[in-house]
């Protein structure tokens, strides 16, 4: 403990002792008067749902052996009696008048039983809250463990190959379901594949294949070749950094969306009880399915971004922050730059040197034009005409 805090603590204790010595006789005299009058009297206007709260109030009247008294008054119309002690309520209403006080032991025991019932009910509610939170806690552990691995510099090359295999298998499984090759949707397959990497395969080449497994092998070989070409172009170290940054961004975005969807699910999960289903079981089941869909979406987004991301490096890195600041400057800073240029021109004119030219204005940012798929909200119908929501169709990729 620092010496300064020790001195402050000693000064505070000394001040407390002085006040105690000053007011101790007065407090002792007043305490004696209170004890002569019978001590503290605690009057309760109702009974709490928990017996512990009532016992705490009773304890106020008898601290450290001092005399005291406590008395509670309870109406038969209170919620505790009306909902949880209906038997005692009917018995008391038939035997006593409305204005007569009831001090029967049967009513007191009925009140205690009602409090016990409420305590058990609240305990079950707290237990269910913990069970509901266990699902989110397990999911949170998996996500945070994955993020920690990436932040520590994990190599995602093997994961990229695995995600490529899953993506190709899923695409072929959706568009080449039938065993008959004439029923394959090769145009849709190539259209979906182009979202992951710029494929050079054609429908005629794929139509000559015999089985869906052959299609998977062709597309998988093409995807791996494209991935290896990008790794050669960017460099192995740069590729690993890009993969980690892309994965972190995707995980963070998908996890935020997943938390919102889980909150929305929890709001109405108790209605499953009307269909003779356990809400907790339904919460665990659907939560597991939604988490699996989120992990699959992370893998798809990772493949799509890594296979198409472009890395640009400025020629003069030391000037990059200055250019950024100039682009972000306001009209006030522009006027200040104008005054500075004018002062520099005046000084140069006096010295006989040529006046410096003003810096060219910053280039206007080009407007980004988005296609119909990028402008579509997640819960809106998909532009492809499938009739499904965008997040369940092309937005899931």
């Amino acid at each position: 403990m620092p010496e300064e805090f020790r001195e402050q603590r000693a000064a505070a204790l000394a001040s407390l002792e002085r006040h105690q010595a000053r007011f101790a006789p007065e407090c002792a005299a007043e305490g004696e008067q209170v004890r002569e009058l019978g001590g503290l009297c605690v009057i309760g206007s109702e009974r709490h749902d928990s017996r512990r709260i009532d016992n705490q109030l009773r304890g106020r009247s008898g601290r450290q052996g001092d005399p005291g008294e406590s008395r509670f008054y309870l109406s038969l119309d209170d919620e505790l009696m009306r909902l949880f002690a209906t038997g005692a309520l009917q018995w008391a209403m038939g035997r006593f008048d409305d204005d007569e006080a009831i001090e029967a032991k049967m009513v007191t025991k009925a009140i205690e039983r009602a409090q016990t019932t409420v305590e058990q009910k609240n305990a079950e509610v707290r237990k269910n809250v913990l069970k509901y939170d266990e699902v989110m806690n397990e999911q949170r552990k998996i996500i945070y463990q994955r993020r920690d691995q990436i932040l520590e510099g994990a190599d995602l090359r093997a994961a990229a190959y695995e995600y490529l295999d899953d993506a190709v298998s899923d695409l072929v499984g959706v568009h080449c379901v039938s065993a008959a090759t004439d029923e394959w949707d090769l145009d849709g397959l190539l259209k979906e594949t182009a979202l992951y990497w710029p494929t050079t395969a054609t429908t005629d080449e794929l139509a000559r294949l015999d089985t869906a497994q052959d299609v998977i092998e062709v597309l998988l070989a093409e995807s791996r070749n494209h991935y290896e070409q990008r790794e050669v172009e960017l460099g192995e170290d740069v590729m690993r950094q890009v993969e980690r940054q892309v994965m972190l961004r995707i995980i963070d975005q998908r996890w935020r969306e997943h938390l919102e969807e889980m909150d929305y699910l929890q709001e109405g999960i108790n209605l499953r009880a009307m269909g003779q289903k356990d809400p907790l079981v339904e919460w665990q089941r659907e939560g597991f399915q939604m988490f699996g869909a989120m992990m699959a979406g992370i893998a798809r987004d990772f493949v799509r971004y890594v296979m198409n991301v472009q890395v640009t490096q400025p020629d003069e890195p030391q000037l990059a922050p200055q250019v950024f600041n100039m682009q972000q400057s306001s009209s006030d800073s522009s006027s200040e730059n104008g005054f500075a240029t004018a002062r520099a021109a005046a000084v140069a004119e006096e010295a006989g040197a040529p006046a410096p030219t003003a810096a060219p204005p910053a280039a206007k940012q080009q407007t980004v034009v988005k296609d119909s798929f990028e402008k579509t909200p997640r819960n809106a119908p998909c532009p492809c005409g499938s009739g499904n929501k965008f997040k369940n169709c092309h937005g899931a990729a």
Side-chain angles (χ1 to χ4, degrees), residues 114-348:
Q115 289 177 317
T116 303
T117 303
V118 175
E119 291 173 358
Q120 294 175 354
K121 175 178 174 294
N122 294 335
E124 289 295 330
V125 171
R126 292 192 296 270
K127 189 182 298 183
N128 284 333
V129 170
L130 293 177
K131 291 180 180 179
Y132 276 95
D133 189 63
E134 285 178 359
V135 177
M136 294 301 302
N137 190 34
E138 293 298 327
Q139 297 179 2
R140 193 179 298 111
K141 287 180 180 178
I142 297 175
I143 291 296
Y144 286 0
Q145 182 181 6
R146 186 58 173 168
R147 292 188 80 257
D148 291 340
Q149 292 175 355
I150 297 173
L151 292 174
E152 291 174 359
D155 191 349
L156 300 180
R157 193 172 190 274
Y161 279 114
E162 182 180 353
Y163 295 156
L164 278 175
D165 296 347
D166 296 339
V168 172
S169 300
D170 293 341
L171 289 175
V172 176
V174 171
H175 297 87
C176 302
V177 181
S178 177
T181 57
D182 55 350
E183 297 181 1
W184 290 353
D185 184 11
L186 298 180
D187 294 333
L189 174 60
L190 294 179
K191 182 179 179 181
E192 293 286 343
T193 305
L195 298 176
Y196 290 89
W197 70 87
T199 178
T200 58
T202 61
T203 55
D204 296 336
E205 295 177 356
L206 299 180
R208 289 194 293 267
L209 300 177
D210 298 331
T211 61
Q213 185 62 33
D214 297 337
V215 178
I216 293 176
E217 293 178 357
V218 171
L219 294 180
L220 188 59
E222 184 185 24
S223 64
R224 292 191 174 185
N225 290 333
H226 181 74
Y227 176 81
E228 293 173 357
Q229 290 177 2
R230 291 191 56 79
E231 189 175 15
V232 173
E233 294 173 359
L234 300 178
E236 186 175 355
D237 295 337
V238 176
M239 191 66 175
R240 300 289 87 78
Q241 295 179 6
V242 169
E243 290 173 348
R244 285 192 290 268
Q245 294 179 6
V246 168
M247 179 60 80
L248 282 176
R249 291 177 181 270
I250 294 174
I251 289 178
D252 293 343
Q253 178 183 357
R254 287 279 187 171
W255 178 244
R256 288 194 298 267
E257 296 175 356
H258 178 71
L259 291 178
E260 295 177 357
E261 294 177 356
M262 292 295 289
D263 290 340
Y264 180 75
L265 174 64
Q266 190 174 7
E267 290 179 358
I269 197 65
N270 291 327
L271 298 177
R272 304 293 177 89
M274 300 177 63
Q276 304 299 321
K277 295 181 180 179
D278 187 359
L280 179 59
V281 176
E282 293 296 311
W283 164 261
Q284 294 173 347
R285 182 180 61 83
E286 294 200 15
F288 178 77
Q289 294 178 355
M290 293 171 62
F291 185 75
M294 182 199 67
M295 297 300 291
I298 290 175
R300 291 193 298 266
D301 291 348
F302 176 78
V303 172
R304 185 177 61 182
Y305 284 111
V306 168
M307 299 288 276
N308 294 278
V309 69
Q310 297 294 330
V311 179
T312 58
Q313 296 180 355
D315 297 336
E316 298 179 0
Q318 67 277 8
L319 297 181
Q322 299 177 4
V323 173
F324 177 79
N325 292 332
M326 290 174 61
Q327 292 178 353
Q328 298 294 331
S329 62
S330 60
S331 59
D332 296 337
S333 61
S334 299
S335 60
E336 293 177 0
N337 293 334
F339 288 125
T341 304
R343 287 194 300 267
V347 173

